[in-house]
Amino acid sequence: RKEVEQDPGPFNVPEGATVAFNCTYSNSASQSFFWYRQDCRKEPKLLMSVYSSGNEDGRFTAQLNRASQYISLLIRDSKLSDSATYLCVVNPPGNTPLVFGKGTRLSVIA
Amino acid sequence: SQTIHQWPATLVQPVGSPLSLECTVEGTSNPNLYWYRQAAGRGLQLLFYSVGIGQISSEVPQNLSASRPQDRQFILSSKKLLLSDSGFYLCAWSVDGSTDTQYFGPGTRLTVL
């Protein structure tokens, strides 16, 4: 299994739809997890951190399933401005750098 | 608050020319610093990271090098650029002693012709 694996998409959804992305990770000892958002030709920006079972911020919900080693990101009531690539990121054990997934591309269509 | 700067924003260089990209962080002390490359349509590739002045860990052997001459300054260099060095170069920082949340600079888009 790759360290961090994501479906590359693209996910094409209409405005107002609910969309979910899954991400799997290989190191069961990983302690913290993140979702970053990257707009086209821009730097990644932190969207959410996940340290326990999940996190919610407005329309965005992240959930962690340690037993199955996956993290999900749910976006409710999609907006055109949500169109971006979403990067799943895992913090492996020990003092080693974060591991980034290759990203899932989302296009929200009017 | 902390800010991270990178320059230049874009760069076009001929094959075989040298490279120097600079990254500086403000508002924090002894940050961990990182250099990433993102080729067109690809994921982030960690190139180097540093936990302190003069301490550099290389993740991928290649014709690039990194240096950290000051606490909040991180430099990416090459003596001779290759076509395959083209990409989006991103600098990032995390809090001293932590490999947790990273914050990225605006990046440098390098085209090698």
Side-chain angles (χ1 to χ4, degrees):
Chain A
R1 177 190 271 183
K2 292 181 184 176
E3 283 195 271
V4 180
E5 201 154 5
Q6 296 182 251
D7 181 343
F11 285 62
N12 300 313
V13 302
E15 273 187 292
T18 296
V19 61
F21 311 134
N22 282 337
C23 164
T24 57
Y25 60 95
S26 60
N27 193 326
S28 60
S30 299
Q31 292 298 311
S32 54
F33 308 86
F34 309 89
W35 284 100
Y36 279 71
R37 171 197 168 123
Q38 186 175 22
D39 292 294
C40 187
R41 301 177 71 82
K42 297 287 189 180
E43 75 274 24
K45 293 186 178 176
L46 179 67
L47 179 65
M48 300 185 79
S49 305
V50 186
Y51 294 98
S52 57
S53 61
N55 195 2
E56 185 171 333
D57 182 5
R59 298 182 294 109
F60 298 83
T61 301
Q63 289 193 315
L64 169 64
N65 185 318
R66 288 190 186 275
S68 301
Q69 291 178 220
Y70 78 80
I71 317 116
S72 63
L73 178 68
L74 183 78
I75 305 175
R76 290 180 296 276
D77 188 22
S78 299
K79 313 288 185 193
L80 293 175
S81 57
D82 293 334
S83 297
T85 297
Y86 291 83
L87 307 176
C88 174
V89 186
V90 175
N91 191 4
N95 203 27
T96 54
L98 300 180
V99 180
F100 285 78
K102 295 189 187 303
T104 297
R105 199 163 136 222
L106 171 66
S107 289
V108 181
I109 305 161
Chain B
S1 63
Q2 301 86 6
T3 53
I4 178 169
H5 304 278
Q6 281 187 251
W7 61 92
T10 59
L11 193 58
V12 180
Q13 292 284 102
V15 169
S17 63
L19 173 73
S20 180
L21 302 180
E22 190 163 342
C23 169
T24 58
V25 181
E26 295 176 358
T28 186
S29 295
N30 198 36
N32 289 348
L33 296 171
Y34 309 84
W35 276 113
Y36 290 87
R37 177 170 61 202
Q38 189 173 36
R42 308 289 294 274
L44 290 171
Q45 178 187 30
L46 179 63
L47 301 175
F48 302 95
Y49 71 97
S50 171
V51 299
I53 295 174
Q55 300 177 64
I56 309 292
S57 296
S58 174
E59 292 293 301
V60 183
Q62 57 210 323
N63 69 320
L64 299 172
S65 62
S67 61
R68 186 170 176 173
Q70 299 181 45
D71 181 40
R72 289 168 286 180
Q73 184 185 30
F74 206 20
I75 297 172
L76 183 70
S77 304
S78 174
K79 291 182 180 177
K80 285 187 178 182
L81 284 168
L82 307 172
L83 285 174
S84 57
D85 290 325
S86 293
F88 190 34
Y89 287 81
L90 290 154
C91 181
W93 71 275
S94 62
V95 170
D96 175 22
S98 170
T99 55
D100 207 75
T101 312
Q102 290 181 16
Y103 302 93
F104 287 84
T108 294
R109 196 161 297 278
L110 171 67
T111 303
V112 182
L113 301 174

